[in-house]
């Protein structure tokens, strides 16, 4: 387990994290610190604890919005997959119908050719 010291709102915190996650944890802490600085700029010195809670709520709100957007995108993707599957099914049915129509037409042409005394190869029959 690795350890990282991060600074948030002017205070240093020693944090444990998985090996290899040190840089990621440092970036997250920098983001929280920047949010607290932004809130401090907007609201002034209203207390570190209150600023930390406001930053946490802001981050939680963004996370909730991101989750909502992901759910919407997943639903859209599933709808598109279902529409694609239905379209492929209709195309397959159309291809089968077309193949059946071509076979039926070929059989009719062969019958007509026989009735006229001409073989399908184009030779004229005698008799």
């Amino acid at each position: 387990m690795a350890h990282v010291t991060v600074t948030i709102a002017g205070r240093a915190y020693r944090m444990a994290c998985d090996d290899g996650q040190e840089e990621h944890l440092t970036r997250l802490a920098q983001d929280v610190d920047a949010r607290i600085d932004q809130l401090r700029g907007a609201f002034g010195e209203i207390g570190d604890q209150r600023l930390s809670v406001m930053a946490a709520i802001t981050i939680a709100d963004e996370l909730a919005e991101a989750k909502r957007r992901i759910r919407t995108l997943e639903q859209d993707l599933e709808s598109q997959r279902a529409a694609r599957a239905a379209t492929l099914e209709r195309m397959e049915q159309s291809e089968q119908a077309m193949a059946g129509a071509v076979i039926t037409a070929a059989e009719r042409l062969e019958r007509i050719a026989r009735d006229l005394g001409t073989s399908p190869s184009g030779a004229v029959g005698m008799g």
Side-chain angles (χ1 to χ4, degrees), residues 37-122:
D37 285 346
Q38 182 183 28
L39 290 168
R40 182 176 282 122
F43 298 104
E45 289 296 332
I46 58 173
D48 288 343
Q49 186 173 10
R50 189 168 176 198
L51 287 170
S52 296
V53 168
M54 290 172 69
I57 289 172
T58 301
I59 292 167
D61 181 49
E62 289 176 7
L63 177 61
E65 177 62 19
K67 286 180 178 180
R68 185 196 64 75
R69 290 181 67 196
I70 288 170
R71 277 192 307 275
T72 298
L73 291 171
E74 287 173 340
Q75 289 169 351
D76 289 349
L77 180 59
E78 187 56 37
S79 294
Q80 289 177 3
R81 284 181 178 157
R84 180 177 181 265
T87 299
L88 289 173
E89 177 67 26
R90 284 192 306 273
M91 286 176 60
E92 186 176 313
Q93 290 172 356
S94 294
E95 287 174 2
Q96 290 174 356
M98 292 282 286
V102 168
I103 290 170
T104 300
E107 290 169 348
R108 280 185 75 197
L109 288 172
E110 286 177 3
R111 261 194 324 272
I112 292 170
R114 265 194 313 269
D115 291 347
L116 293 174
T118 308
S119 68
S121 63

Side-chain angles (χ1 to χ4, degrees), residues 3-63:
H3 289 86
V4 175
T5 300
V6 298
T7 303
I8 299 174
R11 293 186 184 178
Y13 299 92
R14 184 168 165 84
M15 309 289 291
C17 63
D18 290 334
D19 290 333
Q21 293 296 310
E22 299 89 349
E23 187 176 324
H24 179 65
L25 179 58
T26 299
R27 282 193 310 270
L28 291 173
Q30 289 169 344
D31 184 44
V32 171
D33 188 50
R35 288 170 189 270
I36 290 173
D37 285 346
Q38 182 183 28
L39 290 168
R40 182 176 282 122
F43 298 104
E45 289 296 332
I46 58 173
D48 288 343
Q49 186 173 10
R50 189 168 176 198
L51 287 170
S52 296
V53 168
M54 290 172 69
I57 289 172
T58 301
I59 292 167
D61 181 49
E62 289 176 7
L63 177 61

